[in-house]
Amino acid sequence: MKGHGEKISRNQEKAIAALLSCSTISDAAESIGIGEVTLHRWLKLEHFQAAYRGARRQVVNQAIALVQAGMSDAVATLRNVMTNPESPASSRVSAAKAMLDIGVKAFEVEDLAERVAALEKQTKHIN
């Protein structure tokens, strides 16, 4: 087995794409015309695992970007339901609760990010 950082082959690139789009390893292997055993073997290789993790990270980042792009509309919808006197009371309460939950979670994430930054700053001074 070669060292970390080895480049993946074109077939391995195809395998990663198939793994991202197929529901099982067997389906992924079949879709690109390789044996399932081969794909399992590749999944044990460090450089293949690293490339696969990177590809999965890209997929997740793209999904997050799409979610973030719709956040303003989602908040506006919640605000409209929450403040519309013609909305059923249960809908207004649900929208208000969602707004509160989102606000609290956002505060917690921001607070956690500040704490992590402070800890990182402290560890830099120690090292």
Side-chain angles (χ1 to χ4, degrees), residues 2-47:
K2 295 182 182 174
H4 181 73
E6 179 181 337
K7 291 190 176 195
I8 63 172
S9 70
R10 181 70 185 132
N11 280 344
Q12 289 174 332
E13 288 178 3
K14 290 178 184 177
I16 289 171
L19 285 166
L20 293 172
S21 62
C22 295
S23 58
T24 67
I25 291 173
S26 176
D27 290 345
E30 184 179 337
S31 75
I32 62 166
I34 65 169
E36 188 175 345
V37 172
T38 298
L39 187 48
H40 278 289
R41 185 170 30 87
W42 288 350
L43 283 164
K44 293 177 184 175
L45 301 174
E46 248 184 79
H47 71 281

Side-chain angles (χ1 to χ4, degrees), residues 97-117:
K97 184 179 180 327
M99 293 287 286
L100 290 170
D101 288 345
I102 292 166
V104 168
K105 285 179 185 173
F107 174 77
E108 289 171 348
V109 167
E110 188 176 310
D111 184 55
L112 185 59
E114 289 175 6
R115 289 177 180 205
V116 168

Side-chain angles (χ1 to χ4, degrees), residues 30-101:
E30 184 179 337
S31 75
I32 62 166
I34 65 169
E36 188 175 345
V37 172
T38 298
L39 187 48
H40 278 289
R41 185 170 30 87
W42 288 350
L43 283 164
K44 293 177 184 175
L45 301 174
E46 248 184 79
H47 71 281
F48 186 84
Q49 289 175 5
Y52 183 35
R53 270 193 310 274
R56 286 187 314 197
R57 189 174 298 113
Q58 283 182 325
V59 168
V60 170
N61 286 342
Q62 288 171 351
I64 289 169
L66 290 173
V67 168
Q68 289 174 332
M71 288 179 77
S72 293
D73 291 339
V75 170
T77 299
L78 286 171
R79 285 182 59 89
N80 288 338
V81 171
M82 183 179 72
T83 59
N84 184 346
E86 294 183 20
S87 294
S90 61
S91 296
R92 291 195 319 266
V93 169
S94 292
K97 184 179 180 327
M99 293 287 286
L100 290 170
D101 288 345

